[in-house]
Amino acid sequence: QAATLGSRFGGGILAALLHLPCVLRQGCAMLCGLHGFLLAAIAAAAHGYKYDPTSLVDPFDTASQLVSTWLKDPDLIERKDDGWETSFCKCVQNGNIASWYQYAPMMYILDTCAPGDGFVLRTGHMQERHVQPLQAMMSCDVLKLITYCFSHHAPEALPKWNPTCRETHYTVMACDVDCSAAMPRAGGPVSALAIAFALAVVVPALW
C-alpha cells in the first residue's frame, strides 16, 4: 500500500511517508467539517428550521432585504423618529468581521447601508460558508454585528430581526450568535475550534 501511495505521489515509499501528514490532516479536516455540519443540522431541527435544498435564495439575501425594508421605511419599526437609521448604518460601516490573520472592515461584505437607499450585502463572498471555515466565521460575525447595532440603536427591531437571523445562522457552521441581544466578538471555544479547523485545511497546502 505504501508503494502504491508512493507511486501516486511520484516518489516511492519515501514520498509516501513525506505526504502522509498531509493526507492525515486533510482527512481530519473533512471529519471536523462533517462534525460541524451535523451539529448545525441538529440545532436547526431542534428549533423547527427546515432547509430547502431546492431554494435558490441565500438566507443572507433574505436577511439583507428585511433590514433594507426598515431603512427605506423606518416607520415599520415602532420607535420614535430619532434618526436611528443613520446611527445603525454608521455602526455597521465601522464594524469589523473575521478575515485572514486579522479582523477586517465590514465594508468588504457591505455594499450599501443608507436611509432611503436600503441595505445590501455582497453575499457572494459568503456562499462557500458551508465548506470554508473562514467564510463561516465571517458570516457569523456579520450576523453578530447587525444584531449588535440594532441592540444599540434600534432595540425595538430585535423581535422582528430575531426569527430571520436565527434561520440564517443555521446555515453557518458553529455560529454562536444570539439574535435577540448583543453578543461579544467571536473568541470562545467554538471559535477556537473553527480556527483549528481552518489550520487543518490551510497547513496541508504548504507541504
Side-chain angles (χ1 to χ4, degrees), residues 97-104 132 134-135 138 198-199 201-202:
I97 58 175
S99 182
W100 286 109
Y101 307 117
Q102 62 184 3
Y103 286 106
Q132 294 290 341
L134 178 61
Q135 286 195 21
M138 184 187 303
L199 291 175
V201 175
V202 174

Side-chain angles (χ1 to χ4, degrees), residues 86-96 105-108 110-115 119 145 149:
T86 299
S87 299
F88 169 80
C89 284
K90 287 183 178 179
C91 176
V92 174
Q93 291 165 350
N94 287 286
N96 293 322
M106 171 66 173
M107 298 306 294
Y108 174 70
L110 183 65
D111 179 86
T112 303
C113 186
F119 189 83
L145 178 58
C149 292

Side-chain angles (χ1 to χ4, degrees), residues 5-198:
L5 183 61
S7 61
R8 178 182 174 185
F9 288 105
I13 297 178
L14 179 59
L17 293 176
L18 291 175
H19 284 83
L20 187 57
C22 176
V23 175
L24 292 176
R25 288 193 186 93
Q26 289 176 341
C28 178
M30 292 175 63
L31 290 176
C32 291
L34 179 59
H35 179 259
F37 176 79
L38 290 176
L39 288 179
I42 293 172
H47 288 81
Y49 175 73
K50 296 182 178 180
Y51 171 65
D52 182 4
T54 63
S55 176
L56 300 179
V57 179
D58 189 315
F60 271 91
D61 284 325
T62 303
S64 176
Q65 291 166 7
L66 179 63
V67 176
S68 189
T69 59
W70 298 337
L71 292 180
K72 293 179 179 179
D73 186 2
D75 290 337
L76 293 175
I77 301 299
E78 297 180 0
R79 178 182 174 84
K80 62 181 179 179
D81 186 10
D82 59 353
W84 67 264
E85 316 96 283
T86 299
S87 299
F88 169 80
C89 284
K90 287 183 178 179
C91 176
V92 174
Q93 291 165 350
N94 287 286
N96 293 322
I97 58 175
S99 182
W100 286 109
Y101 307 117
Q102 62 184 3
Y103 286 106
M106 171 66 173
M107 298 306 294
Y108 174 70
I109 297 294
L110 183 65
D111 179 86
T112 303
C113 186
D117 292 336
F119 189 83
V120 180
L121 296 176
R122 300 184 181 94
T123 54
H125 294 330
M126 301 182 286
Q127 64 182 0
E128 298 295 330
R129 61 185 179 277
H130 308 285
V131 294
Q132 294 290 341
L134 178 61
Q135 286 195 21
M137 295 169 64
M138 184 187 303
S139 302
C140 190
D141 275 357
V142 168
L143 294 177
K144 288 183 178 182
L145 178 58
I146 294 175
T147 303
Y148 173 87
C149 292
F150 272 136
S151 69
H152 280 67
H153 301 289
E156 295 83 357
L158 287 175
K160 294 184 176 181
W161 164 249
N162 187 17
T164 300
C165 174
R166 288 178 62 185
E167 291 192 0
T168 304
H169 106 280
Y170 288 133
T171 69
V172 183
M173 181 180 63
C175 181
D176 59 349
V177 62
D178 181 352
C179 295
S180 62
M183 279 288 292
R185 290 202 57 80
V190 175
S191 296
L193 177 61
I195 293 174
F197 179 28

